[in-house]
Amino acid sequence: MTEHVTEIDTLVVGAGQAGIAMSEHLSRLGIPHLVLEKRRIAEAWRSGRWDSLVANGPAWHDRFPGMTFPGYAPDSFVAKEDVADYFVAYAEKFHAPVRTGVDVTRATRLVGRPGFRIETSQGVIEARRIVAATGPFQQPIIPAIAPRGPGFHQIHSADYRNPQQLPEGGVLVVGAGSSGVQIADALIVTGK
């Protein structure tokens, strides 16, 4: 029995902001491509972050070309669910070739010719090019210097969802980037 192999010029792995933007550019250039996403489009925005997350920049800055965030003023900071819905709407606007629910399990160079063999949960794909659009923050890092042990509750922003999951008492937020500032604000609002 012969293995069925799908062939495509470019395979984009990940259908978040970078993957959808890449697909839009490839579409404009007429380059045949496919976008694979292991869950839903922009899933990290929906389930991989805290409840009160908003975009790091104002709507006028964080939008895709030719499409504003519906229901938001240009200087507003868009809520995470609306960001995810926006990515879906943008992908639909230019008919992005996205396949959701597909895990990429392995990618290897083809032997004797250019390109790659990509093994997925739904079969094999051969592509001349691969774009990894899986996001930069996949592995939480807790420095070795951070104290550990009983009586000390520590949580990384990747696992934080809302103030209710934290025990009684004071909270120290380490880091003043977008995540740290937004989480600290949510904690202050709830009296932590």
Side-chain angles (χ1 to χ4, degrees):
M1 185 168 152
T2 306
E3 175 182 57
H4 174 72
V5 176
T6 300
E7 294 182 6
I8 194 74
D9 182 87
T10 303
L11 178 68
V12 178
V13 181
Q17 183 174 11
I20 296 301
M22 177 58 73
S23 180
E24 191 261 344
H25 288 290
L26 292 168
S27 292
R28 283 182 187 236
L29 293 170
I31 296 172
H33 69 284
L34 179 61
V35 181
L36 300 182
E37 171 57 47
K38 65 182 170 184
R39 294 186 198 110
R40 298 178 286 176
I41 292 174
E43 182 64 31
W45 280 88
R46 296 184 194 281
S47 62
R49 304 291 185 266
W50 59 95
D51 297 346
S52 60
L53 172 69
V54 295
N56 293 335
W60 67 264
H61 178 270
D62 286 352
R63 67 178 178 77
F64 284 125
M67 186 172 155
T68 61
F69 280 96
Y72 283 89
D75 289 331
S76 298
F77 288 79
V78 182
K80 71 176 193 161
E81 286 292 331
D82 294 334
V83 169
D85 290 344
Y86 175 84
F87 291 164
V88 171
Y90 196 75
E92 290 171 352
K93 179 179 178 180
F94 68 89
H95 310 289
V98 177
R99 287 189 196 164
T100 57
V102 182
D103 280 313
V104 173
T105 57
R106 185 175 182 174
T108 55
R109 283 195 179 276
L110 293 172
V111 177
R113 60 191 168 106
F116 301 88
R117 174 187 168 89
I118 301 94
E119 297 174 24
T120 78
S121 59
Q122 294 186 4
V124 175
I125 298 170
E126 288 185 359
R128 290 185 49 109
R129 297 166 192 84
I130 300 174
V131 176
T134 57
F137 307 114
Q138 305 310 315
Q139 297 297 322
I141 298 171
I142 297 177
I145 194 170
R148 300 180 196 278
F152 184 78
H153 182 78
Q154 180 173 246
I155 186 169
H156 191 278
S157 62
D159 299 314
Y160 172 80
R161 295 296 172 262
N162 55 56
Q164 291 72 36
Q165 78 186 104
L166 301 176
E168 290 297 318
V171 177
L172 172 65
V173 176
V174 178
S178 295
S179 298
V181 171
Q182 284 189 36
I183 290 170
D185 182 57
L187 294 170
I188 289 169
V189 168
T190 60
K192 287 276 189 185

